[in-house]
Structures are given as C-alpha cells and as structure tokens.
Amino acid sequence: MQHRADQQLIIGIVGRRPGIIPGGGHQDHRSGRHQRATGKAAAACLFLFAIAYGLVGARIDYAFASDPLGPRVFPVALAIALAVFALLFARRPDGAEDLPKGPLLGRTLAIPALAVSAVLLMEPLGFPIAIFVLTTGVARVFGAGWPRAALGGALHAALWWAVFVAALEVYLPTGTVFG
C-alpha cells in the first residue's frame, strides 16, 4: 500500500501522468483549469517584464572605448533568457501553483516590494543602506528576529560593498544624502 502511494507521489511530482496529485488522488478539472489560467497569466507577466527589462537595458549609455560589449549585454541577455523561459512556461502552465492567500500572500508580495524599495533607495541613500534594507527585510520575511536580521543585513551590505568597490573596483552609489 505504501509503495503505491510513493509511486503516485513520484509520478505526480515528475508529471508523467497528468491528473495524479500527491497523496494518490486526482485533480479536480476546475482546479486544473484554474492552475492553467494562473500559469498563463504568470507567463504573460514574466514575458512583459522581460520585454520591458530588455528595452531599458538596451538603452544604457556607455563609452564604446571602455568595453566593446558594454553594460548592455547582461540585462539584454537576461531579458532574452527570461522571455524564452516565459514562453516555454506558457506552453505548459499545468505545474503552476494557485495564488497564495492570507499571510502567505503578504509574505510573497513583500519580497518584490522590498526589491523595488531597494532600487528606489539606491540613489538617495546609496548601495549599502539599500542592500541593508533589502536583506534585513527578506530575513524578516523568512522568520529571522530583528537582531539577527539587522546583523545579517549589515554584514551582507558590507560584504557586497567590499567585493564590488574594493575587489572589483566597480562604482557603487553612496547616495545623495551621504555622498
């Protein structure tokens, strides 16, 4: 009996037999249709984000003499990869999860909100403070207490400042407030 349940769980995870879900049951057709719609909507959002990100990345100004590839390569390549994966996901959105509800939805939305906050704080407060806010917030979302989250945020900001500024000699903004 246990062997059959394990086999159905593995088949459900691998996805070789559609309709089998972990625990040995079958998917409700309305639930499957809802998951496909959610997956297609997510794929469309990812694809639109990839286009926007690629267009913004392609407009980065740089002096050709400094580097033949320039800073455009990474964002454009990342946008192309994201667009390809979004299109692949749109073809088979059956594995999409339902949207979270309740506290989990708040935690899920907190991560991109923290990323946007870090980007908005980068210019006025600088890289170290923006990264501190981002990593401290993410640590709190994942359940760390305030002291540990703040310590982790400070160490993370210091580490990446040292890597980029000291080791790689890359300019990072110090912010208009402090700089």
Side-chain angles (χ1 to χ4, degrees):
M1 180 72 173
Q2 181 62 33
H3 175 69
R4 179 152 171 77
D6 291 342
Q7 186 180 18
Q8 286 182 331
L9 176 63
I10 291 169
I11 290 171
I13 291 170
V14 174
R16 292 196 178 142
R17 288 182 49 199
I20 303 292
I21 58 173
H26 290 275
Q27 285 182 338
D28 177 15
H29 290 291
R30 289 180 303 167
S31 165
R33 208 173 306 136
H34 178 67
Q35 283 181 329
R36 282 191 297 280
T38 301
K40 286 189 183 264
C45 288
L46 285 172
F47 187 74
L48 291 174
F49 177 76
I51 290 172
Y53 186 72
L55 290 174
V56 169
R59 293 192 305 193
I60 295 174
D61 290 329
Y62 70 98
F64 183 77
S66 65
D67 183 7
L69 295 176
R72 295 180 189 170
V73 173
F74 183 75
V76 171
L78 190 60
I80 291 169
L82 181 59
V84 167
F85 288 127
L87 291 173
L88 291 173
F89 181 54
R91 288 185 52 163
R92 285 202 55 160
D94 297 340
E97 296 287 329
D98 285 333
L99 292 176
K101 294 173 181 60
L104 184 57
L105 177 61
R107 291 176 58 195
T108 302
L109 294 176
I111 302 296
L114 284 164
V116 169
S117 299
V119 169
L120 295 175
L121 291 173
M122 192 76 67
E123 193 63 36
L125 298 180
F127 178 85
I129 302 296
I131 294 303
F132 172 80
V133 168
L134 174 66
T135 54
T136 300
V138 169
R140 291 287 299 151
V141 166
F142 281 100
W146 279 109
R148 281 186 130 169
L151 177 63
L155 291 174
H156 199 249
L159 168 75
W160 290 114
W161 182 266
V163 166
F164 282 107
V165 174
L168 299 175
E169 297 179 359
V170 173
Y171 167 77
L172 292 176
T174 55
T176 56
V177 173
F178 302 108

